[in-house]
């Protein structure tokens, strides 16, 4: 059986037995056809089952390398490798083809995008001036909501919390004026960390609590207009409304405030290990992404300022 015939048989099985969508069948068909065309040139003839069973990891690496030279991204190459693995696995199980030793072949890893931070001026505006949106339109409890949003976004930028971590806080966790106690935050994997709290956060929180009123220690700290724990989608929408009002960039979001916290600390000379602890990253490699952000900012400054940069 020639490889092209085997591919047609596999695609029929894939669509019928796996109930794959027409989009997936089309994409996998294109990927495998591209692979077989490469093998025809690579091996000198259209492969049959015996030739496919004799493939080595080096042959697939050659294909992936050729695709990279053609401009395929890491994610695209990873998808094509997944299609090829599925095709070869089918031939082993249903057509009696010899097993292909692919266990040690790793899919290309997509490059993680750099965190997109705001400038210090933009981050301060997002944290401190977000309540300006309540001057427009109708709101159920604008004084409470304005104070809440200022306290919430000041906390995100000033302490580097994830939005979910901040909204999970209860009244008993709230930073209090005059206290120097660190905030206990429960992060990913139920890992607890202590985060120092700036006076500006305590002041914003005090103003919010004065509007919110007293309550039990186990009640949610940040509440919606009707008293339930604040929905993340509401917080995201408030900052989205503000960025349009204030002309902030489109990536100005609650999570961008966390990125800004880390980036600005690093730019100010903070130790990378300390930033890792403050952010609650399990791995230092995750935190090291911010060094690339800082380097990118320095390069951009150089390009704008140096007379020979062009």
């Amino acid at each position: 059986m020639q490889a092209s015939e085997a591919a047609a048989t596999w695609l029929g099985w894939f669509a019928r037995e796996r109930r794959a969508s027409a989009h997936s069948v089309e994409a996998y068909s294109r990927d495998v056809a591209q692979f077989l065309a490469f093998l025809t040139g690579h091996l000198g003839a259209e492969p049959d089952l015996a030739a496919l069973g004799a493939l080595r990891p080096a042959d697939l690496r050659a294909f992936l390398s050729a695709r990279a030279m053609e401009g395929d991204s890491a994610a695209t190459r990873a998808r094509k490798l997944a299609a090829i693995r599925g095709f070869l696995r089918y031939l082993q199980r249903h057509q009696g083809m010899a097993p292909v030793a692919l266990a040690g072949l790793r899919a290309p890893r997509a490059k993680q995008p750099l965190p997109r931070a705001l400038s210090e001026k933009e981050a301060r505006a997002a944290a401190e001036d977000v309540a300006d949106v309540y001057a427009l339109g109708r709101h159920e409890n604008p004084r409470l909501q304005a104070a809440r949003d200022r306290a919430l976004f000041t906390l995100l930028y000033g302490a580097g919390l994830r939005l979910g971590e901040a909204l999970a806080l209860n009244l008993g966790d709230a930073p209090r004026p005059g206290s120097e106690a660190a905030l206990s935050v429960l992060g990913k994997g139920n890992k607890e960390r202590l985060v120092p709290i700036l006076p500006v956060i305590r002041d914003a929180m005090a103003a919010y609590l004065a509007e919110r009123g007293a309550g039990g220690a186990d009640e949610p700290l940040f509440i919606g207009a009707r008293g339930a724990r604040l929905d993340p989608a509401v917080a995201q929408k408030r900052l989205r409304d503000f960025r349009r009002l204030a002309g902030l960039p489109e990536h100005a979001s609650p999570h961008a405030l966390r990125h800004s916290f880390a980036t600005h600390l690093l730019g100010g000379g903070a130790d990378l290990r300390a930033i890792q602890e403050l952010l609650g990253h399990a791995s230092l490699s995750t935190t090291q992404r911010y060094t690339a952000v800082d380097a990118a900012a320095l390069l951009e400054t150089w390009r704008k300022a140096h007379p020979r940069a062009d």
Side-chain angles (χ1 to χ4, degrees):
M1 179 184 290
Q2 293 297 106
S4 56
E5 183 183 352
T9 303
W10 168 65
L11 288 168
W13 171 86
F14 184 60
R16 183 178 61 257
E17 300 296 329
R18 299 295 296 273
R19 297 183 179 179
S21 68
H23 178 76
S24 296
V25 172
E26 181 183 358
Y28 275 29
S29 173
R30 186 168 55 249
D31 293 341
V32 170
Q34 198 173 65
F35 176 58
L36 296 181
F38 168 81
L39 287 181
T40 298
H42 183 64
L43 301 176
E46 182 183 353
D48 56 13
L49 290 187
L52 291 176
L55 290 176
R56 301 164 299 162
D59 297 316
L60 275 81
R61 290 194 187 98
F63 169 69
L64 296 175
S65 177
R67 295 315 311 162
M69 293 291 289
E70 290 294 325
D72 282 2
S73 68
T76 298
R77 284 177 281 134
R79 189 202 68 217
K80 290 178 180 179
L81 180 59
I84 294 165
R85 284 185 190 276
F87 173 51
L88 296 178
R89 193 177 298 118
Y90 166 81
L91 296 180
Q92 292 165 22
R93 294 176 180 174
H94 298 272
Q95 300 295 335
M97 189 185 79
V100 180
L102 300 180
L105 187 64
R106 294 184 178 180
R109 294 183 63 181
K111 187 177 180 180
Q112 281 192 314
L114 291 178
R116 301 186 69 185
L118 304 171
S119 69
E120 291 187 28
K121 182 179 179 181
E122 290 168 343
R124 287 173 66 100
E128 298 172 7
D129 300 334
V130 66
D132 289 352
V133 297
Y134 293 100
L136 305 174
R138 293 183 178 182
H139 301 278
E140 294 183 57
N141 195 338
R143 286 177 59 90
L144 169 67
Q145 292 169 301
R148 177 202 66 202
D149 290 356
R150 186 177 291 114
L152 172 61
F153 294 125
T154 300
L155 179 63
L156 297 186
Y157 176 47
L161 269 62
R162 300 177 178 92
L163 179 59
E165 293 170 344
L167 297 185
L169 295 173
N170 292 327
L171 263 178
D173 303 315
R176 306 288 176 175
S179 171
E180 295 186 357
L183 178 65
S184 177
V185 179
L186 194 63
K188 289 185 176 180
N190 289 326
K191 182 180 178 183
E192 188 175 5
R193 70 183 188 276
L194 294 176
V195 180
I197 297 299
L198 299 168
V200 66
I201 299 176
R202 298 186 191 279
D203 292 344
M205 196 66 66
Y208 165 56
L209 292 175
E211 294 293 336
R212 186 198 184 287
D218 292 334
E219 292 182 19
L221 172 58
F222 294 108
I223 58 174
R226 300 182 183 179
R229 192 177 297 274
L230 184 63
D231 189 314
V234 174
Q236 291 163 348
K237 184 179 186 304
R238 287 291 176 266
L239 195 48
R240 191 161 59 246
D241 291 343
F242 176 72
R243 79 185 182 207
R244 292 166 181 164
L245 177 68
L248 295 181
E250 284 298 304
H251 68 274
S253 67
H255 205 65
L257 292 175
R258 173 175 160 88
H259 290 325
S260 303
F261 166 82
T263 304
H264 299 165
L265 278 181
L266 184 64
D271 178 74
L272 199 61
R273 286 282 184 187
I275 297 175
Q276 177 191 3
E277 291 295 323
L278 291 171
L279 292 175
H281 286 161
S283 170
L284 184 63
S285 63
T286 305
T287 316
Q288 284 174 329
R289 292 188 302 154
Y290 292 102
T291 63
V293 175
D294 198 47
L298 287 172
L299 182 59
E300 183 61 25
T301 299
W302 173 83
R303 283 175 174 159
K304 289 180 178 178
H306 198 285
R308 299 298 298 274
D310 294 334

